[in-house]
Amino acid sequence: MKLLVAGRGEIALRIIRTAREIGVATVAVYASDDAATAPVRAADETVALPGDGPAAYLDIAAVIDAARRTGADAIHPGYGFLSENADFAEACAAAGIVFAGPSPAVLRRFGDKQAARFAAVAGGLDVLASTDGPADLASIETFASECPEGVMLKAVAGGGGRGIRPVRAGEDLAAAHRSAVAEAELGFGDGRVFAEELFTRGRHIEVQVIGDGVDAVAIGDRDCSVQRRRQKMIEIAPAPDLSDEVRSRLRAGAARLCAASGYRGLATVEFLVRDDRAVFLEVNPRIQVEHTVTEEVTGVDLVAVSLILADGGSLADCDLPAADANPAGFAVQARVTLRTAGRLTAFVPPTGPGVRVDTFGEPDLETSLRYDPLLAKVIVRAPRLTAALAKADRALSDFVIEGVDTDAPLLRAILADDEFLAGPVDTGFLDRRVGDLEPAAVLNEAAAGDVLAPLTATVVEIAAEGAVIPAGAPLAVLEAMKMQHEVLAETAMHVDRVLVAAGRTVTAGGLLMTCRPAGSDETVDAAHTVDLDRLRDDLAEVDERHRLTRDEARPDAVAKRRRIGRRTARENIDDLVDDGSFVEYGSLVIAAQKARRPLDDLIARTPADGLVGGVATVRGAAAVVMSYDYTVLAGTQGWRNHAKTDRMLEIALRRELPVVFFTEGGGGRPGDTDLDIIAGLDVPTFRAMARIRDHAPSIAVVSGRCFAGNAALAGACDLIVATPDANIGMGGPAMISGGGLGEFPPEAIGPIDVQRANGVVDLVADDEAHAVDLVRRLLGYFQGPAADWTAPDPRLARHAVPENRLRAYDVRAAIDAVADVDSVLELRPDYAPGIVTGFLRVEGRPFGFVANSGLHLGGAIDAAGADKLGDFLELCQLRGVPVVSFCDTPGFMVGPDAEEQATVRRFSRLFSIGARLTVPLGAVVLRKGYGLGAMAMTGGSFRAPQFTVAWPTGEIGGMGLEGAVRLGFSKELAAAPDDDARAELYDQLVASMYERGRGLSAAMTFELDDVIDPADTRRWIATL
């Protein structure tokens, strides 16, 4: 066997070490930001995965390719990432590679909560009472009336705690149901939920099972009840204070369940236990983080067992202890997790008899909260539980970790707590007591109206202060392990105070914002019917026909939108435009299907032929606003709504009006029958949409599915704003299937994570309401100066760039220090991160900005960055928006790999764009201004902008200093008598080049217009 380990961190290191001990060659895969970690050094071979962060480890094709290239015939997934992914297990099988775990069918069975329940019932396990499969609100309310403690709402699909809501007796079940459905729909594309009886005051007990595909045995149990918001912190094996009858029942039932499923590999069967009742929770079909405590008390190396089974071995080959063997005392595991990230300046794990530490930590390791925050597992063993708990406390006290903050103080407080020591505790213990155990955490506890982060993650989006967020809509979106987790409003909420900003990393339990319930006067009832006196019959007929086109006449269609947490086309338009300003065109149009459907049916079901469009004012300025109506034939493009679109675009071109287009829909509609048209390739719609860009701004808003022709119109716009549930693709499932390209669900085609990373989407909104707010803000940059603005503290700019020229920094801080307060709006932040683009205001005037981010490739401009830069400059040129360039680049990215990206053409395009740029351009050299890359940042030449100035940290040169020395003084360096002399000469030459290239020196030769106080930057920009 040759084993590829498809994971990272401590579990990857553990698997590699065990494999090598039993003579198995190993391959480690790694993301670029993990290249210097211990698992990579420990493996026999290594393969770099494309990209960085969690996404690299989730790339199935890349992992399979790494196995093929290295000749690995088995893959161990560890835990996390792809460990429970049935598609990955199938891909391994298709490639002839052994997956060290259960079969894809078993993974799917235990990954579906309902299927797992059915298997548990068939295996004779006790399960909580529940609805009969997915249920609507009425059925759940009936079920809840029979559950005195309350119910737990659960999404049928998915995992990770999403779509789960506990609802105690007397709480708002309807609001919780809306919230759970919306979260499940957005998270998994499946809004089905079911309800179980709520089981409180239970202990979390799990059983370790090993199966060989024919039989299965339980070798131990663990108590994992010390949890904070469903995240385990301390585990104990064996589970203390269980009666022999309950323990035997748990182990027998777990083994029976796995054996009946044909399970091969390691499994953990989880239960909730209260008194003598033990109810099935779920099966984790992989090795668990807490497997260590079972190893300690059984003497079984579970990783080695998993490799034996993967190699075709049976239970008899695994040298397992007898079923009646007594455990070797007690083992305790404490999970040491990061609360902040940074470099480990000191890292000394505890040692001693009965002390074990599983970790990948080491001095100088650069930690990151992009991944799971687990840093180390401290495992201890002792003959008695009290001794084991005391030893765990001592081990944590001996653990030296400097440079980052961890949860070790809280772990020690738990281990010394009287209630915990008296034991056993239930799963609610820590959430009840954390304020007592960790006084510093009191601020993180949820007072009334406080909204807390449920996990350690990065803030992607967050509601604005003063916003009113409806029930079931996200207050914030957090990203962890490359998955976005929404923090939803249980009821309608008014946001009073926001304490974190997008881009900030927060720890579990961190305070995000404070809210209060929305008042009745903040809830707008859109349904309003005007009763006119003495209404004429002809007007009454017209009014009735118009009424049938509105949401109030279509409650079923509106309810369907509500069930997925979305708004109707008309609601989005009403929210966008100024009150009372929308004048609709073609509202009475129906689909061209009279040859196949009754007229009354068409009037009722195809209002406006699925396109609501008209002229309105937005922020006081006229605009054309259109929206496909997904409740009408899935927002598809019929012949008459094409005609309406053409009409509205004609008006926009004639009056040079901005266009805002909500483009949700499925593309062309083949079912229209009233016109004798063969292909319809002569429609002018797409050409007309593309022409808008030459005359006025155009913005597409995408929420939900946007395929084929709808996507083509969105892509022809200047800017695309999308919501997290958007899917955008040039072909939908039917087109892909019809082309013989495979069967795919809509959610698999162009999801938001794909389209934000590749630059298709410019801004990702929290939801449709937020998207509308962003559109208003974007239009504002094209509408001229703002009357109200606030200047930033001028001192901030002086400290935005570190004095140490080697110290990295976030260029956004420099931009914020120059722009009017809260005026910066960054575009495409997840695409080509080395280039930062967006809009800002200075003294109320709108400007576009471009900047280099030294946090990516040191600020070098790569191929994608060149495209992003060029695209934005062209947009500013089209829209007549002046541009400010914040330059800090060592130049273009070069080398063989770079040339494979067609950089000659893509880089040189920037000079063509710069040569055609007529809008005012100003350039500020923040630090590095080297070579052709710096010239591209300044329109092609330092003389192209109306000004090119530098901050005191600025330095310029024909190329990077070090490269210039090596190239220009190669003979002198070669002639040095020895290496020491050569190094001394090199350092002298670099220092000389730096002195010569400093901004002050360049200003003396007039290669810069000036070197300025950063606080004066706004004065220069104001001259544009």
Side-chain angles (χ1 to χ4, degrees), residues 12 64 78 107 128 227 251 299 343 357 413 499 607 709 829 831 952 989 1017:
I64 296 294
L107 286 172
L128 293 167
Q227 303 177 9
R251 293 190 178 191
R343 187 174 67 87
V357 179
L499 300 173
Y831 168 61
L989 291 169
T1017 307

Side-chain angles (χ1 to χ4, degrees), residues 377-683:
K377 302 184 304 193
V378 176
I379 308 105
V380 301
R381 178 167 51 84
R384 299 179 309 281
L385 178 58
T386 54
L389 295 173
K391 183 180 287 189
D393 183 34
R394 288 195 301 271
L396 287 169
S397 73
D398 292 342
F399 205 157
V400 178
I401 305 174
E402 296 178 2
V404 297
D405 292 333
T406 71
D407 65 347
L410 176 57
L411 293 170
R412 294 197 63 201
I414 296 168
L415 291 166
D417 179 66
D418 289 341
E419 181 182 350
F420 171 75
L421 292 173
V425 297
D426 62 38
T427 56
F429 156 73
L430 186 53
D431 287 333
R432 292 192 305 268
R433 294 290 315 286
V434 70
D436 302 325
L437 298 170
E438 185 182 32
V442 171
L443 292 177
N444 289 340
E445 290 308 295
D450 286 355
V451 178
L452 308 180
L455 73 172
T456 298
T458 300
V459 179
V460 177
E461 300 157 8
I462 194 157
E465 290 184 359
V468 177
I469 308 299
L475 292 161
V477 178
L478 309 179
E479 181 175 331
M481 298 292 288
K482 211 58 180 180
M483 292 292 294
Q484 292 191 354
H485 305 263
E486 293 174 322
V487 180
L488 301 180
E490 297 285 352
T491 59
M493 302 296 290
H494 181 109
V495 179
D496 285 329
R497 185 183 178 201
V498 176
L499 300 173
V500 297
R504 177 177 166 184
T505 297
V506 294
T507 56
L511 186 59
L512 300 175
M513 64 180 71
T514 59
C515 299
R516 57 179 168 82
S520 58
D521 58 341
E522 294 177 293
T523 302
V524 179
D525 181 8
H528 181 66
T529 302
V530 178
D531 183 19
L532 298 176
D533 292 333
R534 302 176 65 184
L535 188 64
R536 288 170 40 165
D537 289 344
D538 56 352
L539 184 57
E541 180 183 11
V542 172
D543 281 351
E544 176 62 13
R545 285 290 304 278
H546 279 285
R547 188 191 69 81
L548 293 175
T549 69
R550 295 194 291 266
D551 293 344
E552 64 191 74
R554 310 180 68 233
D556 291 344
V558 173
K560 189 174 182 180
R561 297 294 283 179
R562 293 289 183 272
R563 284 196 294 271
I564 60 174
R566 302 250 287 285
R567 305 198 295 191
T568 67
R570 294 183 181 278
E571 287 171 331
N572 280 325
I573 291 175
D574 288 346
D575 191 18
L576 172 67
V577 304
D578 299 338
D579 289 344
S581 70
F582 185 61
V583 177
E584 185 177 354
Y585 284 58
S587 63
L588 301 180
V589 172
I590 58 174
Q593 297 182 7
K594 286 190 287 186
R596 56 186 293 222
R597 298 173 63 177
L599 179 60
D600 288 346
D601 181 60
L602 291 171
I603 291 172
R605 296 181 180 276
T606 66
D609 197 20
L611 181 87
V612 182
V615 177
T617 60
V618 180
R619 295 169 53 100
V624 167
V625 180
M626 294 181 283
S627 176
Y628 286 110
D629 186 349
Y630 201 81
T631 69
V632 177
L633 303 174
T636 50
Q637 298 169 326
W639 296 117
R640 291 192 177 125
N641 84 17
H642 261 314
K644 289 175 62 177
T645 306
D646 297 340
R647 173 67 167 157
M648 299 315 305
L649 293 176
E650 176 195 6
I651 292 169
L653 287 167
R654 185 185 304 168
R655 297 178 56 184
E656 297 192 337
L657 297 180
V659 173
V660 178
F661 207 160
F662 296 83
T663 58
E664 179 187 17
R669 182 195 308 159
D672 284 4
T673 56
D674 298 351
L675 299 170
D676 186 16
I677 295 172
I678 295 178
L681 302 182
D682 54 350
V683 296

Side-chain angles (χ1 to χ4, degrees), residues 125 203-205 207 250 254 269-273 278-281:
L125 299 183
R203 297 169 63 193
H204 185 121
I205 307 296
V207 176
L250 292 179
V269 184
E270 300 190 351
F271 299 87
L272 281 176
V273 177
V279 296
F280 170 79
L281 271 183

